[in-house]
Amino acid sequence: MKLTVPLPLLVLFAVAGLSQARVKTSLLDLTNVFGGTLPRLSRPANHSHIFYAVMFDAGSTGTRIHVYTLIHSDSELPILDNEMFHSIKPGLSAYADSPEMARHTVRMLLKVAKKTVPRLEWKRTPLVLRATAGLRLLAADKARVLLEQVQHVFDESPFLVPDNSVSIMNGTYEGILAWISVNYLTGHLNAQTKKTVGILDLGGGSTQITFLPKQRKTIESVPVDDYVARFVISNTSFELYTYSYLGNGLMAARLATLGALGAEGLDWRVFKSSCLPKKFRGEWSFGGQTYQVSGDPDGYAGYKLCYQEVLKVVMGIIHQPYELEDSNVFYAFSYYFDRAVDAGLIDGVRGGALEVRDFKKRAKEVCKKMTKYPPVSSFLCMDMTYITCLLKDGFGFKESTVLQLTKKMNNVEASWALGATLDHFHNLKIH
């Protein structure tokens, strides 16, 4: 069955949620951060060439706002002048049973847009929110109620609110638009050659892989047509290998590893794993649910046993592309970056290059140490082991493959949001 992805007409956005008390604290912190002023952006002499776009990315673990300042240019693509970015935790899905709290999150983040976009430009600046895996994993009726809350806030705002301004984004778009973002920021979309970079995005609920194959067999050997996307940008045609795996994001993978996915009786059940410290017991929340989790005090813990647990989350689910090695440079971000920082593999500001074997080596070290004393995060062994398994046994990367770990590129967040903005202004007609 062939997937035709109807292009979003405008910019995309995101949302966040958790307990009411915790959310209020997050919003208060955000207010304190802003104070009364936000940094002023440098402006080119000709203001008539400047325009703005506001992106909400409603992810599974947080809501983010991207306010882009762009400049019309002679080329097909606009020039990005600046990005204002802020986020609030938790994600919208955490408000599944208190949807009115979603309004507070969106209203607070809208203050960023109002302080960044000149007042005279508000009515011409599109305001859109796209929710990702967190809401895809929710029951349809609960997700709909949350989106209705957001729509109310948007309709009351002074910004341009297009039709279909609030919705859940198709997972395939996440990978494609993130690929467009990264290749725009690395200068590959304007190049005459088809030298591009691939992307690996690990969110809380889903994970994406997207790259431009050099061998025809990579496209011909996909399981279904859903793995292929085609579009034209800057007079160049692209045929991408791309897929989004719902349920294989880092937090959803924790659930599956613990055997808690879709489980009932959460008030009394304790979910055990050899990926957790033997003496550890605590609560963990995701998607509006709280789980009792622990290590196995009567069993064994460590990398080997943990790997067998996470392998069940990957095997038979993740397709291995025919071509990966020596064909693309891959940029990895989101939880790939965050956990590499937590494990001390890269600098939290600069990022860096890592081989797949670096994740494996550090996972073994973290899992070994957790039997003696808990690491900063009790889930670090599980998370690092899952990332290792996803890269090796999932996608099929060699241990020697080098990945570029990044959070920001040219001071812009590595995410799908910029690609969505470019899509709006360019209408890529992705199929």
Side-chain angles (χ1 to χ4, degrees):
M1 177 176 174
K2 189 163 184 174
L3 172 69
T4 299
V5 189
L7 261 220
L9 296 179
L10 278 171
V11 212
L12 306 97
F13 295 46
V15 187
L18 234 194
S19 74
Q20 186 163 345
R22 189 171 155 192
V23 171
K24 287 182 177 177
T25 302
S26 299
L27 302 184
L28 180 62
D29 291 344
L30 190 60
T31 304
N32 292 336
V33 168
F34 296 152
T37 61
L38 283 174
R40 288 290 173 191
L41 309 180
S42 59
R43 294 283 178 258
N46 190 345
H47 286 207
S48 65
H49 284 78
I50 297 174
F51 59 103
Y52 303 86
V54 182
M55 286 284 177
F56 274 91
D57 166 8
S60 59
T61 56
T63 303
R64 302 117 200 168
I65 185 171
H66 305 257
V67 184
Y68 295 114
T69 304
L70 300 119
I71 305 169
H72 290 289
S73 69
D74 294 333
S75 64
E76 290 191 55
L77 294 174
I79 297 169
L80 178 61
D81 180 55
N82 205 300
E83 177 198 50
M84 182 63 74
F85 171 82
H86 279 286
S87 64
I88 295 179
K89 293 183 178 181
L92 276 188
S93 55
Y95 298 132
D97 296 321
S98 54
E100 68 282 354
M101 291 304 298
R103 291 195 188 199
H104 298 291
T105 299
V106 177
R107 283 195 181 114
M108 184 55 65
L109 287 174
L110 272 178
K111 292 182 179 181
V112 181
K114 289 180 178 179
K115 288 180 177 289
T116 305
V117 179
R119 184 181 293 268
L120 291 176
E121 298 295 327
W122 286 357
K123 65 180 181 181
R124 290 185 288 271
T125 300
L127 182 64
V128 178
L129 178 143
R130 292 292 180 262
T132 56
L135 264 67
R136 285 187 221 125
L137 289 167
L138 275 186
D141 58 334
K142 290 192 173 185
R144 177 181 51 77
V145 171
L146 285 169
L147 295 181
E148 287 174 351
Q149 296 292 322
V150 177
Q151 188 69 60
H152 288 317
V153 178
F154 275 24
D155 291 341
E156 295 169 354
S157 81
F159 293 95
L160 173 64
V161 180
D163 293 337
N164 193 33
S165 58
V166 178
S167 67
I168 298 174
M169 183 167 60
N170 180 294
T172 302
Y173 265 106
E174 269 190 271
I176 298 168
L177 296 174
W179 183 91
I180 291 172
S181 295
V182 171
N183 280 278
Y184 173 91
L185 293 170
T186 53
H188 290 106
L189 291 185
N190 291 319
Q192 296 301 312
T193 62
K194 287 192 175 182
K195 180 182 178 183
T196 61
V197 297
I199 66 100
L200 295 168
D201 188 358
L202 180 60
S206 64
T207 188
Q208 287 74 233
I209 178 172
T210 306
F211 66 96
L212 181 67
K214 293 183 178 179
Q215 299 184 38
R216 188 65 199 168
K217 188 172 180 180
T218 303
I219 296 296
E220 294 173 346
S221 62
V222 296
V224 290
D225 287 347
D226 292 12
Y227 284 76
V228 182
R230 302 173 181 87
F231 62 93
V232 177
I233 191 167
S234 296
N235 295 319
T236 303
S237 297
F238 293 97
E239 187 175 48
L240 301 181
Y241 176 101
T242 182
Y243 204 76
S244 175
Y245 294 92
L246 183 62
N248 282 92
L250 194 68
M251 300 301 143
R254 284 184 183 179
L255 272 184
T257 301
L258 289 163
L261 200 60
E264 297 179 354
L266 301 185
D267 293 338
W268 55 269
R269 289 190 65 178
V270 178
F271 299 95
K272 299 179 181 180
S273 172
S274 57
C275 298
L276 298 172
K278 291 181 66 172
K279 296 182 179 180
F280 169 76
R281 178 159 180 168
E283 292 185 343
W284 173 66
S285 297
F286 176 64
Q289 297 287 346
T290 299
Y291 303 86
Q292 301 292 326
V293 300
S294 77
D296 187 355
D298 301 320
Y300 294 94
Y303 176 78
K304 286 186 177 181
L305 287 173
C306 182
Y307 202 94
Q308 293 305 310
E309 288 186 20
V310 302
L311 188 61
K312 293 181 291 185
V313 184
V314 169
M315 292 302 290
I317 297 172
I318 307 295
H319 174 255
Q320 295 190 359
Y322 172 77
E323 160 204 358
L324 273 183
E325 300 305 317
D326 303 321
S327 60
N328 277 273
V329 174
F330 275 87
Y331 279 75
F333 41 93
S334 300
Y335 276 119
Y336 288 116
F337 178 91
D338 296 340
R339 288 301 172 266
V341 172
D342 294 341
L345 288 172
I346 58 172
D347 179 83
V349 176
R350 296 188 301 270
L354 292 177
E355 293 183 353
V356 172
R357 63 164 60 96
D358 293 327
F359 280 103
K360 178 181 178 180
K361 180 181 178 182
R362 189 53 54 90
K364 288 183 175 180
E365 293 171 354
V366 170
C367 292
K368 183 177 181 180
K369 290 179 180 178
M370 78 167 182
T371 60
K372 299 177 181 178
Y373 55 91
V376 176
S377 166
S378 298
F379 281 94
L380 191 56
C381 167
M382 181 185 290
D383 292 349
M384 290 293 288
T385 304
Y386 175 70
I387 289 174
T388 302
C389 185
L390 179 64
L391 293 172
K392 288 175 72 279
D393 290 291
F395 298 126
F397 285 102
K398 294 179 181 176
E399 291 195 2
S400 58
T401 300
V402 177
L403 304 176
Q404 300 293 327
L405 278 290
T406 187
K407 184 175 180 64
K408 286 180 175 283
M409 306 175 71
N410 301 326
N411 294 317
V412 177
E413 291 287 317
S415 79
W416 54 261
L418 176 58
T421 307
L422 296 175
D423 171 35
H424 160 56
F425 292 113
H426 195 71
N427 192 13
L428 305 180
K429 295 184 174 63
I430 302 170
H431 297 283

